């Protein structure tokens, strides 16, 4: 009689190679595609450089004001034809409640970054095997959005001529947008399509819903992009169709990750194969 160690089925699933190990891919490519444990210093540097590059390119896109205003008029007419042009009503209704619209201004300015970085940290700590693939989705989504800013300049509703939208940041003198007030010269004001507030928030929501184990946290994950949609419309920073553009970019991002890794991020092992600590379970023999 004695004790020995056994590995549960769940343990084997955690460390088993993901779909990227299948197929006849060359050894180098297979190693490149295989999930590996992320390195903290590299991820901090990568995210910092990537966001700096994103901001640089986004703001370097020529501010094609006249074309952006024409495109905004076209979007507004198209939404009227579709029967979904209610942004102005929402903007005016929420603006009448000062505490609510001020809160939304700060939500728009801060949570876009705070929640996204928080999800990345959570993935790094608790889902290292899925971190790189999920990060790839975010990067690919943001990268293709830059193409949208260049090819389709679009003025946000608050900058339209004669549309009677309220720029809630200016009216309530809150620091709510890099594209309003004293900070407007630091950002391209005519890069509203696609909405990365929606692209990033849906990425956060789907990631939390797919990977969180606590039910109420999963519900919050789904509510986050819904509330973000209300905020971007109420503050007159985006049209509904900008949100559709953001989700289309996110779909592209998931497609890139699916092709590269052979599976969607949540389908990969939670831990990197070969690095899991297997619990010692007693077994009578």
């Amino acid at each position: 009689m004695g004790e020995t160690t056994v590995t549960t089925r769940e343990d084997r699933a955690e460390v088993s190679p993901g779909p990227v190990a299948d197929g006849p891919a060359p050894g180098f490519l297979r190693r490149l595609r295989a999930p590996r444990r992320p390195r903290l210093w590299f991820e901090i540097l990568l995210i910092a450089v990537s966001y700096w590059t994103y901001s640089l390119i986004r703001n370097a896109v020529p501010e094609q004001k006249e074309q952006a205003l024409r495109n905004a008029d076209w979007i507004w007419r198209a939404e009227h034809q579709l029967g979904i042009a209610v942004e102005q009503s929402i903007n005016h209704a929420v603006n009448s409640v000062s505490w609510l619209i001020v809160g939304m201004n700060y939500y728009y300015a801060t949570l876009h970054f705070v929640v996204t970085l928080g999800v990345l940290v959570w993935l790094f700590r608790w889902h290292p095997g899925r971190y790189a693939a999920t990060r790839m989705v975010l990067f690919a989504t943001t990268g293709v959005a830059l193409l949208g800013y260049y090819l389709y300049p679009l003025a946000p509703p608050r900058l339209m001529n004669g549309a009677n939208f309220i720029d809630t940041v200016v009216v309530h003198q809150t620091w709510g947008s890099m594209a309003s007030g004293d900070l407007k010269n630091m950002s391209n004001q005519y890069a509203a399509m696609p909405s990365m507030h929606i692209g990033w928030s849906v990425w956060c929501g789907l990631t939390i819903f797919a990977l969180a184990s606590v039910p109420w946290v999963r519900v919050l994950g789904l509510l986050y992009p819904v509330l973000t949609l209300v905020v971007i419309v109420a503050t007159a920073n985006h049209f509904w169709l900008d949100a559709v553009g953001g989700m289309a970019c996110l779909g592209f991002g998931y497609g890139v990750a699916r092709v590269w890794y052979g599976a969607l991020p949540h389908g990969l092992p939670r831990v990197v194969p070969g690095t899991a600590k297997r619990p010692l379970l007693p077994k009578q023999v």
Side-chain angles (χ1 to χ4, degrees), residues 161-227:
N161 294 324
N164 199 29
F165 281 95
I166 300 170
D167 190 332
T168 60
V169 173
V170 172
V171 169
H172 297 278
Q173 298 182 345
T174 53
W175 181 68
S177 171
M178 289 290 289
S180 293
D182 296 335
L183 300 176
K184 64 183 179 181
N185 294 325
M186 298 176 61
S187 179
N188 183 355
Q189 297 191 76
Y190 303 107
M193 171 67 85
S195 169
M196 280 298 93
H197 272 75
I198 292 300
W200 288 12
S201 67
V202 175
W203 174 86
C204 291
L206 292 178
T207 300
I208 293 171
F209 181 77
L211 300 180
S213 57
V214 180
W216 65 266
V217 174
R218 300 180 73 201
V219 172
L220 286 180
L222 293 182
L223 288 177
Y224 173 56
V226 174
L227 183 55

Side-chain angles (χ1 to χ4, degrees), residues 6-27:
V6 297
T7 303
T8 65
R9 182 179 303 174
E10 182 179 357
D11 295 329
R12 289 193 297 268
E14 290 287 345
V15 300
S16 61
V20 294
D22 300 329

Side-chain angles (χ1 to χ4, degrees), residues 84-155:
I84 60 174
V86 296
E87 291 95 329
Q88 188 181 92
S89 298
I90 295 173
N91 174 236
H92 283 253
V94 177
N95 183 73
S96 65
V97 185
S98 295
W99 64 267
L100 180 58
I101 194 61
V102 169
M104 286 188 173
N105 285 339
Y106 286 117
Y107 179 112
Y108 185 87
T110 59
L111 291 192
H112 179 52
F113 305 103
V114 172
V115 176
T116 303
L117 286 174
V119 172
L120 283 170
V121 171
W122 174 64
L123 287 167
F124 182 92
R125 175 65 180 84
W126 297 106
H127 298 269
R130 297 162 177 154
Y131 175 87
T134 315
R135 189 239 292 137
M136 176 180 282
V137 174
L138 183 65
F139 279 27
T141 298
T142 305
V144 76
L146 291 173
L147 186 62
Y149 299 146
Y150 184 84
L151 296 178
Y152 196 79
L154 180 67

